């Protein structure tokens, strides 16, 4: 069951591609639906209900319901710290709460990425500012991220919706290409499900502000690409980098197809 959309907060074109790949591989999505109750059957299985009645009987039911912060459990009110009542604390760019001597980092922060490496880096940056004379702030935007879906998704920077809102749609150019990993060549059923997208800001010589990669081992690839994006690489820098043939990562250096609204993406050519 999918309550609303897949991968909320991520690039929705990529989310749709992941959903299509999973459906093609046999996963069935019941969209716009949530369970209302469960009952144990006499043989130990689970009967699932929705608001419309019985949905089905299954051997196992797994609920992926996200997480709730625990910060509201520690009497923040006694210290005068503002929170949203759901375990999340609003902070400013320096991780400071509404109290000058109280800071918050990690998953308890409202609207921040719930990733362990992010919390570690934010904590280190905060300690350096408080005790080491640093002025460096944590960069929460250019964080490489991977979603370990059946077709792996790696990304860094802005998705299309965010880039349009931040820089203006007229100032964004998107390059895209399907990808076919070499080790998929003998399995035509997989098709051209893999994909790469570079989002560039035309006002800064096509500076790459977002990379989205959908393919096996995308996380391994995006970790290296993240360094280039963080130091401000442009599309020309990507183009000038020699690709390693025949790798999936090579496609990041050869993508030239400009995404046009209303136009289908061109199919891959030969080797």
């Amino acid at each position: 069951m999918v309550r609303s959309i897949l991968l909320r907060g991520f690039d929705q074109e990529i989310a749709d591609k992941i959903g299509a790949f999973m459906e093609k591989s046999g996963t069935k999505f019941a969209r716009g639906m949530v369970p209302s109750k469960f009952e144990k059957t006499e043989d130990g299985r689970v009967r699932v209900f929705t608001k419309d009645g019985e949905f089905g009987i299954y051997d196992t039911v797994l609920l992926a319901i996200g997480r709730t912060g625990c910060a509201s459990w520690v009497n923040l009110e006694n210290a005068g710290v503002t929170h949203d009542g759901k375990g999340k604390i609003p902070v400013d760019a320096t991780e400071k709460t509404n109290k000058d001597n109280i800071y918050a980092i990690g998953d308890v922060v409202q609207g921040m990425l719930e990733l362990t490496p992010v919390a570690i880096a934010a904590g280190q940056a905060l300690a350096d500012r408080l005790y080491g004379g640093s002025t460096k702030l944590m960069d929460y935007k250019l964080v490489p991220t991977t979603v370990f879906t059946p077709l792996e998704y790696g990304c860094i920077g802005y998705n299309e919706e965010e880039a349009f809102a931040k820089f203006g749609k007229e100032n964004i150019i998107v390059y895209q290409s399907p990808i076919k990993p070499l080790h998929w060549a003998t399995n035509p059923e997989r098709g051209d499900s893999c994909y790469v997208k570079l989002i560039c800001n035309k006002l800064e010589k096509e500076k790459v502000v977002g990379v989205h990669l959908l393919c096996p081992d995308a996380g391994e690839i995006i970790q290296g690409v993240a360094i280039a994006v963080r130091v401000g690489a442009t599309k020309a820098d990507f183009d000038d980098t020699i690709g390693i043939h025949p790798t999936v990562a090579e496609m990041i250096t050869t993508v030239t197809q400009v995404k046009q609204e209303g136009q289908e993406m061109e199919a891959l050519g030969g080797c």
Side-chain angles (χ1 to χ4, degrees):
M1 293 183 184
V2 180
R3 181 183 59 187
S4 53
I5 60 174
L6 299 176
L7 297 179
R8 181 180 302 280
F10 289 90
D11 189 283
Q12 282 305 292
E13 181 183 26
I14 298 288
D16 290 343
K17 288 179 180 295
I18 292 171
F21 178 83
M22 292 176 67
E23 287 178 322
K24 187 177 178 181
S25 303
T27 301
K28 297 177 181 178
F29 292 108
R31 296 179 183 269
M33 191 179 295
V34 294
S36 59
K37 70 174 181 177
F38 306 100
E39 290 180 356
K40 201 82 166 181
T41 64
E42 290 184 1
D43 61 356
R45 302 173 77 194
V46 181
R47 180 177 284 110
V48 179
F49 293 84
T50 69
K51 63 180 178 61
D52 297 321
E54 183 175 330
F55 183 78
I57 299 175
Y58 302 90
D59 295 327
T60 302
V61 174
L62 176 66
L63 301 179
I65 57 174
R67 69 185 83 181
T68 298
C70 302
S72 58
W73 301 359
V74 295
N75 292 325
L76 291 172
E77 296 83 0
N78 289 350
V81 175
T82 301
H83 64 92
D84 66 359
K86 300 177 182 178
K88 298 291 186 178
I89 304 171
V91 300
D92 64 15
T94 67
E95 283 81 37
K96 186 187 296 182
T97 68
N98 62 304
K99 292 295 181 178
D100 286 343
N101 63 328
I102 299 178
Y103 297 80
I105 59 170
D107 292 7
V108 299
V109 176
Q110 188 179 56
M112 292 302 180
L113 296 167
E114 296 178 339
L115 298 168
T116 299
V118 171
I120 293 171
Q124 183 64 62
L126 175 59
D128 289 344
R129 290 197 305 274
L130 292 177
Y131 306 109
S134 173
T135 58
K136 181 181 176 182
L137 299 176
M138 176 65 188
D139 180 356
Y140 287 100
K141 189 66 229 173
L142 295 181
V143 174
T145 305
T146 297
V147 184
F148 295 97
T149 37
L151 187 56
E152 205 165 297
Y153 169 32
C155 61
I156 180 171
Y158 294 86
N159 61 40
E160 278 194 64
E161 296 88 351
E162 293 170 336
F164 292 160
K166 176 72 175 178
F167 305 106
K169 190 172 182 178
E170 69 281 3
N171 298 319
I172 293 296
I173 183 169
V174 178
Y175 296 90
Q176 65 174 359
S177 177
I179 303 173
K180 189 158 189 177
L182 182 63
H183 56 283
W184 281 20
T186 56
N187 188 341
E189 293 180 1
R190 288 179 171 175
D192 294 335
S193 302
C194 299
Y195 177 75
V196 61
K197 173 163 60 177
L198 303 184
I199 301 172
C200 305
N201 183 1
K202 291 190 284 188
L203 296 179
E204 297 184 80
K205 298 181 179 180
E206 294 196 0
K207 177 182 175 181
V208 179
V209 297
V211 178
H212 299 266
L213 187 61
L214 192 60
C215 66
D217 301 318
E220 303 290 347
I221 300 170
I222 209 71
Q223 182 69 83
V225 173
I227 299 172
V229 175
R230 285 190 56 81
V231 299
T234 64
K235 179 61 167 61
D237 293 322
F238 277 64
D239 293 342
D240 290 343
T241 302
I242 304 300
I244 302 171
H245 188 68
T247 64
V248 171
E250 173 188 23
M251 294 299 297
I252 294 174
T253 69
T254 61
V255 56
T256 58
Q257 185 180 161
V258 176
K259 185 178 181 183
Q260 302 284 357
E261 222 172 308
Q263 290 186 14
E264 292 290 327
M265 182 170 55
E266 296 174 12
L268 282 175
C271 178

